[in-house]
Amino acid sequence: MDGPLPGTDNIGRDDSGGFNPADINPAELNAAGINPADSAAGSYADAREAVGVPPSGVQPADHPALCGLLGHWRGSTRLAAGPWGPERTVEAEVTYRRVASGFGIVQTYSHREPDGTHFEGHGMFTVDPDHPDVLWYHADTTDPVPAVPDRCTWRGGVLRVERHGSAGWTRHSVRLDGDVLIHATELRSRAPSRTQSGGSAENAGADGTGSAYTPFMTSAFTRA
């Protein structure tokens, strides 16, 4: 199974923050050959497995969203045309490696522009100790380290995260397509204030009034 079943990226959790299989769609458990009544009665491990949720306490290197990324990759990145310059393709590389006895995975990306300008990004992945969610700290040549990590989703074999900043939103999608690692980055800018009376420009775009996501960087790598 490549990630959770459709519609299960927000798995039910009880009031204490724990996993609650009773909140899972019974049809999804039936499809996995599990009796929903039995799962609600306490078959937590079966319910977790049925919807693609790793067990509590899993280390990042063992998480299904991250374990296949480990290693050194080389390829290219296509940058869309925009305020940062014309459309172009550059050679790029990325490495994912275990650190801190497996409690973290460091991501190191770099490429060099035709004019010699060097771009690099560094990330740290870990797993929420209370829930099996992937957390990501990331900083690059243009953005500082965030005050708090971004919480990723893992669905259909795609690790995805949406980051919010003063200029708008950035969405990253990381997936394996056979032997190819693909990392797509998209941007969504804030729209001019179109909020209702009493609203503020600060929240413009949060209700769908902002621009649609557009491609920014799309990288494709194979193992070095």
Side-chain angles (χ1 to χ4, degrees):
M1 182 183 301
D2 294 329
L5 297 175
T8 63
D9 51 328
N10 292 318
I11 300 302
R13 297 185 171 96
D14 61 26
D15 292 340
S16 64
F19 178 83
N20 183 1
D23 290 340
I24 300 173
N25 186 337
E28 293 164 359
L29 294 179
N30 280 323
I34 297 174
N35 186 325
D38 292 342
S39 295
S43 299
Y44 296 105
D46 287 343
R48 281 180 179 274
E49 182 178 357
V51 296
V53 178
S56 297
V58 65
Q59 288 194 339
D62 297 322
H63 194 289
L66 300 172
C67 60
L69 306 180
L70 292 170
H72 183 203
W73 305 74
R74 285 199 181 101
S76 62
T77 294
R78 177 169 52 83
L79 292 93
W84 46 86
E87 180 178 343
R88 58 202 183 276
T89 299
V90 296
E91 294 184 355
E93 59 183 301
V94 66
T95 300
Y96 293 83
R97 60 186 179 87
R98 292 165 49 108
V99 296
S101 300
F103 284 101
I105 290 179
V106 168
Q107 169 201 43
T108 302
Y109 167 91
S110 65
H111 78 246
R112 189 172 296 278
E113 296 282 353
D115 64 0
T117 303
H118 181 71
F119 178 92
E120 62 181 61
H122 300 273
M124 165 72 87
F125 291 97
T126 188
V127 175
D128 188 319
D130 298 319
H131 310 302
D133 297 333
V134 174
L135 304 178
W136 186 37
Y137 290 92
H138 182 265
D140 58 37
T141 304
T142 59
D143 293 314
V145 176
V148 296
D150 297 296
R151 189 173 296 271
C152 305
T153 63
W154 167 243
R155 181 177 177 182
V158 180
L159 182 67
R160 182 173 287 115
V161 62
E162 189 170 358
R163 306 176 66 200
H164 178 242
S166 58
W169 291 260
T170 304
R171 182 168 65 189
H172 296 265
S173 301
V174 181
R175 63 185 175 90
L176 289 172
D177 185 359
D179 295 330
V180 179
L181 169 61
I182 298 174
H183 186 150
T185 306
E186 302 167 285
L187 301 178
R188 180 184 178 208
S189 62
R190 286 184 179 275
S193 180
R194 292 169 52 189
T195 56
Q196 298 176 351
S197 177
S200 67
E202 180 97 7
N203 295 321
D207 58 357
T209 60
S211 65
Y213 274 110
T214 58
F216 170 43
M217 295 170 60
T218 304
S219 302
F221 305 99
T222 55
R223 291 192 181 276

